[in-house]
Amino acid sequence: MKTLTAKIGNVLIGSDHPIVVQTMCNTHTYDVDATVEQCIRLYNAGSQIVRITVPGMKDIPSVKEIKEKIQAAGYDIPLVADIHFSSETAIAVAPLVEKVRINPGNFHRDHSKACEQFSRLVQVCKEHGTAIRIGINHGSLGERITSLYGNTAKGMCEAALEWIGLAIQNDFYNIVISLKASNTLVMVEAYRRLAAEMREKGINFPLHVGVTEAGNGDSARIKSCVGISAILSEGIGNTIRVSLTEDPANELPVAQYLADRYDGLLRSTMTNIKIEGRKAEATYASPSRERLLCDVSCDFGKRLLDKEIDEVVIKGTFLNEKSETVSIEDSGLGAYLTDELMQAARRRFYKPEYIACPGCGRTMYNLQDTFEEVKHKTAHLKNTVIAVMGCIVNGPGEMADADWGYVGEGNNKVSIYHKSQPVLRHIPEQEAVDKLVELIEAHQKKD
């Protein structure tokens, strides 16, 4: 899809340029030295743009110091300020960074006042050459949009179009748009809708593509590849992030794989494919387990999402860590990948579905270890979606698909949610996972 070009410092995003890979720090922004170190480490690992959280006005001096220290170290790293709710913080930080990520619908409950604040931000960004990412996330659309369209892909698209229209009224075009969801079906539908609307209106802005709160491990990598590849394969998308509840550096190899594949620099290691009816059988000769995982997800994710096929059988070989050739079938990896792929495409669920944010400077507990504990203690549960969210700021909204949620409050306390409602608050962290499991088991027995 032909798009305009957004300029984020020395990085250009748009259809005339290669797909840009980015990630986000999980350090506290007030810890300046740790954030500087992580920004440089992530940049050296391949992140062309690095995002940091800016929770409030008190963090503005830290952002200034972070930028100065990065430059003093000899790096020119485009920084993105991640803002939730506080329009004044967005306006104050805009002169200090290359891009501001906002969901302007959350600037104020009064839509007219949110529009006023967005226009103020646009004027500051125009003055300083700062780009804006309009980030619309499933589950955090705001009451006005959900009352009109529900918490849907259509609502996400309509929200984005409203703010795009206001930016154009302000003669501002240095914009990137994202429509993220943890549900791959919702995410793909939202991007397709927006791309079609922009084409029709002739206002094609570049798109940031990702599956939000994907979790960790194989499941998160497969889920991310399924959703992102479905969009990139249609020529939609200009910058990507793979969101993992892991060290943010771990996101970059998968993101770079996707960028290389859809920039035409990389091909699948599939050597043969046979499709009979609605069943696909594919043979691979893969140089690694992770490469196989990515190839399979990209080769069949879109077909499963779009219900072109109903079943996938994976055969062939891959090289293990000792460079030994391993049979996919004999290792059991083929059946495992099929199960994971079907779940990522939301065609069949063989285990609980997990939603987990990657963590950022708003996270006040050990998110990665807690998520592993939740997975371990809930692995026996069926037909349930469980979210583990880093903070109370955007966690409750963005776990829109979850049946149950574990949400950090800060001060070593946790809230537990059922659907969108809190059922327990201020639970000590050391008790919270067991309380979550007890509630789920009791609810399932009752059903």
Side-chain angles (χ1 to χ4, degrees), residues 59 76 79 100 119 181 202 215 250 280 287 294 297 354 378 380 388 392 394 411 431:
D59 298 285
D76 185 11
L79 293 183
V100 179
S119 295
N250 294 351
C294 292
S297 302
Y354 295 103
T378 60
H380 63 290
V388 180
I392 207 76
N394 61 334
N411 298 318
E431 302 173 16

Side-chain angles (χ1 to χ4, degrees), residues 399-412:
M399 58 182 192
D401 281 335
D403 299 309
W404 297 90
Y406 177 113
V407 182
E409 295 179 356
N411 298 318
N412 302 310

Side-chain angles (χ1 to χ4, degrees), residues 55 83-85 106 140 362 390-398 407-409:
I83 305 294
H84 283 266
F85 299 103
N106 290 334
S140 58
R362 294 184 297 272
C391 71
I392 207 76
V393 175
N394 61 334
E398 294 189 3
V407 182
E409 295 179 356

Side-chain angles (χ1 to χ4, degrees), residues 237-352:
N238 312 98
T239 180
I240 58 175
R241 182 194 175 190
V242 173
S243 297
L244 302 180
T245 311
E246 300 179 20
D247 185 319
N250 294 351
E251 299 175 359
L252 299 172
V254 185
Q256 193 61 59
Y257 163 89
L258 286 162
D260 288 345
R261 175 164 176 153
Y262 294 100
D263 276 335
L265 304 176
L266 202 62
R267 297 182 65 182
S268 172
T269 58
M270 182 168 60
T271 59
N272 187 52
I273 182 171
K274 181 173 65 175
I275 298 180
E276 294 182 353
R278 299 180 63 82
K279 176 181 177 180
E281 184 177 294
T283 304
Y284 289 83
S286 185
S288 69
R289 184 182 183 279
E290 181 156 298
R291 178 60 186 277
L292 175 65
L293 179 151
C294 292
D295 281 344
V296 167
S297 302
C298 293
D299 290 337
F300 295 103
K302 182 175 184 292
R303 300 180 195 199
L304 287 167
L305 285 168
D306 292 343
K307 297 186 178 179
E308 295 175 5
I309 56 173
D310 297 326
E311 189 177 351
V312 180
V313 177
I314 310 299
K315 298 183 175 182
T317 62
F318 68 98
L319 298 183
N320 64 15
E321 293 177 353
K322 298 178 181 179
S323 296
E324 299 167 334
T325 300
V326 178
S327 165
I328 293 172
E329 302 100 303
D330 293 347
S331 68
L333 185 57
Y336 167 74
L337 285 179
T338 296
D339 282 341
E340 287 286 339
L341 187 60
M342 296 296 284
Q343 179 141 341
R346 306 186 76 82
R347 298 295 303 278
R348 182 178 72 232
F349 293 87
Y350 81 105
K351 65 178 183 180

